[in-house]
Amino acid sequence: MAEEGKDSAVTLRINPSRVLPLRLLQFFLVFLALGLGVSVFSMYTTKYYKVQNVPPITQSVTAESVTKPCFEEPSSFEGWIRPPTKLLHTMNDSELFWRASLVPRIKHYPFKRIPKIAFMFLTKGPLPLAPLWERFFKGHEGLYSIYIHSMPSYEADFPPSSVFYRRQIPSQIAEWGRMSMCDAERRLLANALLDVSNEWFILLSESCIPLSNFSIVYRYISRSRYSFLGSFDEPGPYGRGRYNRNMAPEVNLTDWRKGPQWFEINRVLAVKIVEDATYYPKFEEFCRPACYVDEHYFQTMLSIETPHLLANRSLTYVDWSRGGAHPATFGKADISKDFFNKIAESKTCLYNNQPTTLCFLFARKFAPSALEPLLELASEVLGF
Ligand SMILES: *[C@@H]1O[C@H](CO)[C@@H](O)[C@H](O)[C@H]1NC(C)=O
Ligand SMILES: *[C@@H]1O[C@H](CO)[C@@H](O)[C@H](O)[C@H]1NC(C)=O
Ligand SMILES: *[C@@H]1O[C@H](CO)[C@@H](O)[C@H](O)[C@H]1NC(C)=O
Ligand SMILES: *[C@@H]1O[C@H](CO)[C@@H](O)[C@H](O)[C@H]1NC(C)=O
């Protein structure tokens, strides 16, 4: 059958009725060759006439910008270190992760690098608390960058004046407790890694708020020796009970960790997460509901790989005291000075191995109705 089909294709090709298109093709090819010749010649002459006194490296740049105005190639040093101008690229995950995993081996930056915090919002759609965040970021340009991963169907409509304007990254559906959620987090990290100045990476949701002003957040994170990933060994059905023996030897029961999804990590750990091909297949196959992979994968993996870099606690306050499968959501009626005092007094912890009462920089979960009282209290209670 297949052979027969091939034969008839050959017959078709030498059929006299095909000769005319063939001629046309030949003509076309000759013209194409001519066109190419002319453009190469003009490229050469532009180069020759325009830039005789410029050193060789700039010469090729000039020639390129003359002939290919739309093609961006990092032929100058600035081109390598400039953050991508468009976040909506066309790379798929394999391409993006590979690109994001490139790490310079020379540790000294040959330029003035001001380390930034990447705020990564993992959302379903809108950001109802955006006005509060706008106020938080105001006046701190150059010290942060923002990335948003939302449902692919959601179209954001932030005005050009907003810090969230065009900060959406190519997104896919992310389901709670499933690997697609970790994929979305890795996608956020990979996109943020493309900016060489991003040094710290914070994962937030649309229901998160900052508890301090930007200066305090920046100082706390930049001066910490550890990354803030909640990670603990929990006996019982919701901790070790979710471990599957098939994960050994990459992950043994004693390595198994649990922790909240919302993390703050540095660049080293972000690359570890994006490049991982050792633990990913194990978690993908053996940690499915009722094993909620976003509570175990990064927590376990980083505790095995880089335990000395982890603070083992999260910076994001959450209230589980009401019981149930989901933490408390705070609305308009909950917001008061007293409420924030309680959060501030709720815990002591270690910061760079010293005891402190400043343990949380963010909090969740806040309903859209909380926005108004939050804006009213922000300058007095949150410091911005
Ligand atoms: C991305 O594209 C490359 C090249 O087409 C392909 O080999 C790879 O499997 C794709 N990856 C994903 C995750 O789709
Ligand atoms: C798990 O245990 C095996 C056998 O004792 C050991 O070879 C392996 O290194 C352990 N894995 C980790 C991540 O420690
Ligand atoms: C975090 O836990 C790991 C064990 O999983 C431990 O090695 C590390 O020292 C802990 N970090 C701190 C800051 O105590
Ligand atoms: C940030 O908050 C702290 C404490 O609330 C305050 O002392 C400081 O002045 C604030 N910084 C700015 C830039 O508002």
Side-chain angles (χ1 to χ4, degrees), residues 27-323:
F27 268 117
F28 176 71
L29 282 176
V30 167
F31 270 111
L32 193 71
L34 258 173
L36 265 175
V38 167
S39 60
V40 166
F41 177 73
S42 63
M43 206 161 93
Y44 175 79
T45 45
T46 338
K47 199 153 117 184
Y48 185 77
Y49 283 116
K50 268 200 153 176
V51 286
Q52 277 177 45
N53 297 324
V54 184
I57 292 174
T58 350
Q59 249 185 42
S60 63
V61 175
T62 318
E64 211 159 67
S65 54
V66 168
T67 51
K68 298 189 250 172
C70 302
F71 189 67
E72 259 187 86
E73 192 180 295
S75 34
S76 68
F77 183 63
E78 280 66 36
W80 282 102
I81 58 173
R82 199 190 306 126
T85 43
K86 275 198 213 116
L87 294 189
L88 288 176
H89 53 74
T90 54
M91 287 181 275
N92 69 19
D93 280 355
S94 325
E95 295 161 341
L96 169 70
F97 290 12
W98 178 82
R99 173 69 188 81
S101 71
L102 305 183
V103 175
R105 294 185 63 95
I106 295 180
K107 295 304 168 203
H108 171 76
Y109 293 97
F111 60 98
K112 187 161 165 40
R113 177 180 184 260
I114 298 172
K116 294 193 286 188
I117 301 181
F119 290 81
M120 310 184 301
F121 289 86
L122 181 58
T123 72
K124 287 181 210 75
L127 282 170
L129 305 174
L132 187 71
W133 284 103
E134 299 266 7
R135 222 156 101 178
F136 170 79
F137 287 120
K138 200 169 184 243
H140 301 282
E141 292 71 27
L143 294 178
Y144 66 85
S145 28
I146 293 174
Y147 301 85
I148 305 171
H149 186 289
S150 46
M151 295 280 287
S153 57
Y154 177 71
E155 274 183 47
D157 59 346
F158 292 103
S161 58
S162 166
V163 296
F164 298 106
Y165 181 63
R166 293 202 178 150
R167 299 311 298 174
Q168 284 69 28
I169 63 159
S171 305
Q172 291 174 35
I173 287 174
E175 293 166 287
W176 186 67
R178 296 189 182 263
M179 207 47 161
S180 57
M181 185 62 82
C182 296
D183 292 338
E185 294 173 19
R186 296 175 93 203
R187 208 171 287 128
L188 274 165
L189 286 170
N191 278 284
L193 278 168
L194 298 184
D195 183 341
V196 290
S197 292
N198 285 331
E199 183 60 30
W200 304 283
F201 303 80
I202 300 177
L203 185 68
L204 299 155
S205 79
E206 63 263 69
S207 69
C208 287
I209 64 160
L211 290 177
S212 300
N213 60 25
F214 189 90
S215 326
I216 292 187
V217 167
Y218 190 87
R219 195 179 326 141
Y220 197 95
I221 285 171
S222 62
R223 294 186 186 178
S224 172
R225 259 175 257 158
Y226 306 105
S227 285
F228 296 94
L229 176 76
S231 171
F232 45 88
D233 181 6
E234 185 185 296
Y238 308 117
R240 287 196 176 204
R242 292 177 182 172
Y243 173 75
N244 182 324
R245 241 176 278 162
N246 289 311
M247 291 186 174
E250 284 84 356
V251 180
N252 298 323
L253 180 63
T254 48
D255 306 318
W256 187 249
R257 293 290 181 277
K258 181 180 177 173
Q261 178 183 6
W262 315 102
F263 58 71
E264 181 279 317
I265 57 175
N266 70 11
R267 201 168 171 95
V268 171
L269 301 189
V271 172
K272 284 225 166 271
I273 286 179
V274 166
E275 75 180 358
D276 174 44
T278 307
Y279 304 94
Y280 187 95
K282 291 279 168 174
F283 280 88
E284 148 110 286
E285 191 174 352
F286 300 114
C287 181
R288 296 184 174 187
C291 176
Y292 300 107
V293 69
D294 52 70
E295 293 181 350
H296 300 280
Y297 171 32
F298 302 151
Q299 296 81 347
T300 302
M301 182 191 112
L302 294 178
S303 293
I304 295 172
E305 292 274 310
T306 51
H308 57 289
L309 296 182
L310 303 181
N312 303 317
R313 66 180 175 92
S314 170
L315 289 177
T316 306
Y317 172 86
V318 64
D319 180 10
W320 286 100
S321 68
R322 298 183 192 180

